[in-house]
Amino acid sequence: MNRIPLFCLAPALLLLAAAPASAQKPVLLRYKFSPKDKLIYRTTAEVNQTRKQGDNTVKVTINSMEVVERRLDKIDSQKNFVLETENKDLRVQMKIPVVGEYKFKARSEENERASRLGAELTPVYETLTGAILKVTVSPRGEVAGVKG
C-alpha cells in the first residue's frame, strides 16, 4: 500500500528537480539593437464611444494611424539605449456628432483649418508630423527621459 503513493510522487519530484536546472539557462533575446538598423513601426488605434445624455445618444469615433521610424543613437555609460524616433506619417479621422467631422493626413497640403476641430487640432498634428525625439530607455525597458 505504501508503493502506490510513492509511484505517484516520484514523477512530481523529478519535475521539481529539473525545474531549477532549466531556469539557470540564459535568455537569448530575439532582437538586439544595432546602430545602423532602422525599425519602422505602424500603429493603428480605433476609439468608439457611445454616451447617453438624457434622451440623446452620442456616438464618437476616432481612427488614427501613425508610422514611426526608430534608430539606436547610442548606448550611454549606464547601459541605457538612446533611441531617435521620427514620426514619418500620421492620419487621423474623427466624427463627433455635436462638433463635426475632421480628417488629417500628414502628407496633404489641404488639411482643414476652418472648422472648430480643424482650427485646434491641425497645428498640433502638423507639429507632431516629422518630429524627431530622443528617448532614453533603461535595460529593463523603462523610459528614463525624452528630449526633442
Side-chain angles (χ1 to χ4, degrees):
M1 198 150 172
N2 289 337
R3 290 184 181 178
I4 294 174
L6 184 61
F7 286 120
C8 295
L9 188 60
L13 289 175
L14 285 174
L15 287 174
L16 287 174
S22 65
Q24 294 174 358
K25 293 180 183 177
V27 176
L28 181 61
L29 297 176
R30 179 179 260 180
Y31 181 81
K32 296 182 181 180
F33 279 119
S34 174
K36 296 178 183 177
D37 290 345
K38 292 181 182 179
L39 304 173
I40 298 174
Y41 293 92
R42 182 165 115 178
T43 307
T44 58
E46 182 177 327
V47 176
N48 292 312
Q49 181 184 42
T50 304
R51 293 183 297 187
K52 190 166 188 174
Q53 298 171 339
D55 293 336
N56 297 332
T57 301
V58 178
K59 184 176 181 183
V60 176
T61 58
I62 303 171
N63 295 315
S64 66
M65 186 276 303
E66 71 173 331
V67 176
V68 178
E69 182 180 292
R70 293 188 179 126
R71 300 174 290 280
L72 176 64
D73 189 32
K74 64 180 179 179
I75 299 175
D76 65 13
S77 60
Q78 299 166 343
K79 305 274 185 191
N80 292 329
F81 299 107
V82 179
L83 302 174
E84 186 175 88
T85 68
E86 182 177 356
N87 294 333
K88 293 290 191 179
D89 193 11
L90 177 63
R91 296 175 188 205
V92 178
Q93 186 173 6
M94 61 179 67
K95 183 177 180 181
I96 304 173
V98 178
V99 182
E101 292 186 26
Y102 174 74
K103 290 182 183 180
F104 176 83
K105 290 184 181 179
R107 297 180 182 166
S108 175
E109 296 292 328
E110 301 174 3
N111 289 316
E112 68 177 275
R113 294 178 179 272
S115 68
R116 189 166 28 162
L117 286 174
E120 297 292 327
L121 295 176
T122 299
V124 174
Y125 290 141
E126 285 177 345
T127 303
L128 291 174
T129 303
I132 298 175
L133 304 171
K134 298 265 186 173
V135 181
T136 305
V137 181
S138 75
R140 298 184 66 117
E142 299 164 345
V143 176
V146 178
K147 293 181 183 177

